[in-house]
Amino acid sequence: MIKYAILGYGTVGRGVAEVMAEGREKMSALAGQELELGYILVRRDFPGDSYADKMVQDFSVIENDPEVAIVAEVMGGTGAAYEYSRRALLAGKSVVTSNKELVAAHGSELEALARAHGASYLFEGSVGGGIPILRPLYQCLAANRIEQVFGILNGTTNYILTAMDAQGQSFEEALKDAQALGYAEADPTADVEGHDAGRKITILADLAFGQNLNPQDVPTQGITGVTAADLELAHALGYTIKLLGRAIPAEDGCLVFVAPHLVPMEHMLAGVSGVMNACVIHGSAVGEVVMYGPGAGKRPTASAVCADILDAAMHLNGGKTMGLGQPGGRVAPEGLLSSPWFVRTGAGPELLLAQFPQAAPVYGASRECGFITAPMTRDELEASLGAVEARAVYRVLA
Ligand code: HSE
């Protein structure tokens, strides 16, 4: 019998308990031993809950129970989650998690601790919710030189952009719905300002390029500035707007950033709606691979965490890790990347065409116009704008 514990009983914690119970027979058969829930670590009582008899409020009960071999940390944050993950690994227990904030900030150190103690540290659920992304990247595509990774990595913001675009909902209404559906972080600022996607692209960049980066060095722009006028003009030009995380190897380090992009309507990312996420990987041998599915939510995220519990159960002798790099990777300046740009402006046609003779502007209801530039760096764009006042500027995915 292999005992596991769940740390946290929020949306994902409940999902893990539920999905593990449903899959118990199949997973135990795959593990070769019965998988049994030992404890759930909670911060308060849950009277009447069907798992009330498994609940403890003191982590040391789990830490000191030699029968507990696997700990699923789904508390979130980098405070108690970090301390308990460390203590579990030091006690030789495997840790699995969906906590991207912790993995992005301390994953390399926690992996090293796992290796030193013959345990596993696995975090498939930290990127893309229920979509298998990390194993395909570090394992199935291991023979490739990865040329770039990019995608829609936050379900809440994709839900909001889709609702604003397709249903004309306000930002606030759409955010409220995403929170009610359990997609958003406890503090949704991390979603809407792009920090959550920033942590995920940091993890992907590490597994793709071996560059362990400080997530705070990754430039992030969220979706709070995206307006109905931007969406209207983007449509008229044949694009939609998506929040993308991107990672591209550079001469010294890698270009990693999060920003709203105009995505051509015919690009497959344009069709990724609602809470769905999609991740595109370019490999030197395989070409382009796309992974698509539910990027947030109780059961999809639990699906990934539960598979990690099983994988840890199958590697109790020696442990398994995913191969994060050593800290010290360098984020190259995002502005160096050349791309076409979308500009929304109130400038008149004469001024506009004087600065951008090739521009083919489209006009929206508010008499503002939008146009797409030739490919250039951010500095080149700023120099080209001259007296043209840009009210919004977004990269175009080319
Ligand atoms: N808040 C995150 C999202 C949860 O919306 O994508 C999944 O990581």
Side-chain angles (χ1 to χ4, degrees):
M1 189 254 296
I2 303 169
K3 255 196 202 177
Y4 62 92
I6 301 171
L7 311 188
Y9 200 52
T11 304
V12 182
R14 287 163 197 266
V16 172
E18 189 175 302
V19 174
M20 283 303 290
E22 286 168 15
R24 183 175 175 155
E25 209 176 308
K26 175 183 171 189
M27 307 248 279
S28 298
L30 287 166
Q33 291 184 65
E34 196 65 24
L35 280 169
E36 190 180 307
L37 175 62
Y39 305 97
I40 301 177
L41 183 72
V42 292
R43 290 202 179 97
R44 61 175 177 88
D45 289 333
F46 288 81
D49 189 280
S50 52
Y51 292 105
D53 62 325
K54 302 281 185 189
M55 291 181 183
V56 293
Q57 297 195 18
D58 178 1
F59 176 69
S60 57
V61 175
I62 297 168
E63 184 180 24
N64 294 324
D65 184 339
E67 286 197 340
V68 174
I70 302 164
V71 168
E73 182 276 299
V74 287
M75 308 164 67
T78 55
Y82 176 45
E83 184 199 330
Y84 298 161
S85 297
R86 275 181 56 83
R87 282 166 57 184
L89 292 167
L90 284 166
K93 302 180 194 302
S94 291
V95 174
V96 306
T97 187
S98 57
N99 183 344
K100 53 263 157 151
E101 190 179 356
L102 183 59
V103 176
H106 298 291
S108 173
E109 171 200 336
L110 293 169
E111 265 199 350
L113 213 52
R115 279 194 290 269
H117 291 82
S120 298
Y121 185 65
L122 303 171
F123 43 90
E124 183 65 62
S126 66
V127 180
I131 317 170
I133 293 182
L134 303 186
R135 276 180 186 73
L137 175 59
Y138 83 84
Q139 199 167 304
C140 312
L141 299 176
N144 290 256
R145 179 172 41 78
I146 304 297
E147 290 155 352
Q148 62 167 314
V149 180
F150 63 95
I152 295 169
L153 301 172
N154 181 269
T156 301
T157 45
N158 203 51
Y159 183 91
I160 294 172
L161 287 174
T162 307
M164 285 172 70
D165 198 11
Q167 293 136 41
Q169 258 194 328
S170 74
F171 177 92
E172 290 74 21
E173 281 168 349
L175 172 58
K176 225 187 246 172
D177 288 353
Q179 286 177 296
L181 289 163
Y183 302 153
E185 297 300 298
D187 174 3
T189 315
D191 296 296
V192 298
E193 297 296 354
H195 304 144
D196 179 76
R199 291 161 188 151
K200 292 167 178 166
I201 195 69
T202 300
I203 296 168
L204 288 168
D206 190 328
L207 293 177
F209 312 124
Q211 291 272 334
N212 189 262
L213 308 167
N214 180 346
Q216 285 171 355
D217 293 343
V218 172
T220 57
Q221 180 188 350
I223 62 161
T224 48
V226 177
T227 64
D230 293 326
L231 286 161
E232 180 198 10
L233 294 171
H235 268 274
L237 289 161
Y239 295 82
T240 187
I241 301 180
K242 295 289 184 192
L243 184 69
L244 301 186
R246 298 180 67 181
I248 304 165
E251 212 163 278
D252 176 19
C254 58
L255 275 159
V256 185
F257 64 99
V258 174
H261 282 66
L262 261 71
V263 175
M265 287 307 278
E266 61 274 12
H267 193 284
M268 62 187 113
L269 289 188
V272 176
S273 303
V275 72
M276 294 297 165
N277 282 193
C279 183
V280 182
I281 301 176
H282 285 207
S284 55
V286 73
E288 183 172 88
V289 171
V290 184
M291 284 157 273
Y292 165 88
K298 180 181 172 189
R299 289 173 62 86
T301 310
S303 159
V305 175
C306 294
D308 276 353
I309 292 178
L310 173 61
D311 209 7
M314 294 167 95
H315 290 88
L316 287 181
N317 285 331
K320 177 174 175 178
T321 52
M322 291 181 157
L324 293 169
Q326 294 302 307
R330 179 178 170 275
V331 178
E334 164 271 335
L336 294 179
L337 181 67
S338 182
S339 69
W341 299 81
F342 162 80
V343 179
R344 172 166 59 87
T345 179
E350 270 175 36
L351 174 58
L352 189 63
L353 292 172
Q355 295 299 116
F356 297 92
Q358 312 298 325
V362 294
Y363 288 82
S366 61
R367 297 168 59 96
E368 291 179 314
C369 79
F371 68 98
I372 309 277
T373 71
M376 58 184 84
T377 64
R378 190 180 281 280
D379 283 353
E380 288 165 349
L381 173 70
E382 269 155 31
S384 304
L385 281 168
V388 173
E389 181 220 354
R391 296 184 181 159
V393 166
Y394 300 121
R395 282 186 189 274
V396 176
L397 186 68

